[in-house]
Amino acid sequence: MKRRFILLLALGLLAGCQEAPELAKPAAITLTAEAAGHYCQMTVLEHEGPKAQIHLSGNPFPFWFTQVRDAIAFMHSPEEPKDIAAIYVNDMDVAANWKEPGFDNWIDAEAAWFVVESKQAGGMGAPETIPFGTEEGAKKFAAAQGGRVLRLHDIPTEYVLAPVELSSTPQLKQDAADEVVQ
């Protein structure tokens, strides 16, 4: 009886030591002319402003988004997969300008600072969620163009999932947005 107890205890301890292997976070992928927006199926590079890419577990190809807001909507949408391995966004702190947000200046969305509710519309004409690598960059943009500075998980679901009237979305002059981003 004592042997069985020791055997069961040993098996229990061994089972407790088994941990699920932690998968490495996939790396961001360089934006190319072939990238098509997940929702619109339009070429991502045809649109101005910051972009996003979402990697799902087990899928070597990311979903591309012409606006960061759309990627965050994907994250919150009950219809979309929840096995998100990584979300990367353009770091507008180092972007050349609004028209050229970058091909390889990706930062983890969880590390980014976002400006929401600003005057600057995204590449598809909807309100944008503008990512920055630093809180200072986000605050500078918000001071010039309005909006609030938030972290990824503080962005209201209603902000990214609410319907948008595109004709009423303000669009700043590109040079004004470029001044702040540079």
Side-chain angles (χ1 to χ4, degrees):
M1 183 73 164
K2 193 173 183 179
R3 277 190 194 165
R4 286 185 187 173
F5 177 74
I6 292 173
L7 180 61
L8 286 174
L9 181 64
L11 287 174
L13 289 173
L14 283 174
C17 291
Q18 299 291 328
E19 293 182 18
E22 189 172 312
L23 298 175
K25 186 177 267 192
I29 295 178
T30 300
L31 179 59
T32 65
E34 290 79 33
H38 176 66
Y39 291 124
C40 65
Q41 293 303 305
M42 298 171 76
T43 303
V44 173
L45 292 175
E46 291 178 8
H47 304 279
E48 300 174 350
K51 315 290 183 246
Q53 56 180 284
I54 291 183
H55 297 256
L56 299 180
S57 297
N59 185 348
F61 306 105
F63 291 160
W64 293 100
F65 297 87
T66 53
Q67 283 200 205
V68 174
R69 179 182 193 266
D70 294 341
I72 297 171
F74 180 98
M75 182 181 89
H76 287 287
S77 180
E79 301 88 38
E80 299 295 358
K82 298 300 171 216
D83 58 338
I84 296 173
I87 301 174
Y88 295 104
V89 293
N90 283 127
D91 180 354
M92 295 306 284
D93 271 330
V94 298
N97 55 54
W98 190 258
K99 291 180 182 182
E100 302 169 23
F103 299 99
D104 281 315
N105 58 325
W106 301 107
I107 56 172
D108 189 321
E110 292 184 6
W113 295 87
F114 295 89
V115 176
V116 299
E117 301 167 350
S118 76
K119 298 174 196 170
Q120 179 61 52
M124 295 295 289
E128 183 57 292
T129 306
I130 306 163
F132 292 85
T134 65
E135 183 178 19
E136 297 78 30
K139 284 182 175 180
K140 178 182 173 186
F141 188 91
Q145 305 303 332
R148 298 185 296 147
V149 176
L150 302 171
R151 298 304 290 235
L152 177 65
H153 294 289
D154 296 326
I155 297 169
T157 301
E158 310 81 54
Y159 179 72
V160 295
L161 292 181
V164 174
E165 178 66 41
L166 294 179
S167 62
S168 67
T169 303
Q171 181 73 39
L172 292 180
K173 292 181 182 176
Q174 285 313 137
D175 55 346
D178 289 345
E179 281 179 23
V180 178
V181 171
Q182 293 176 356

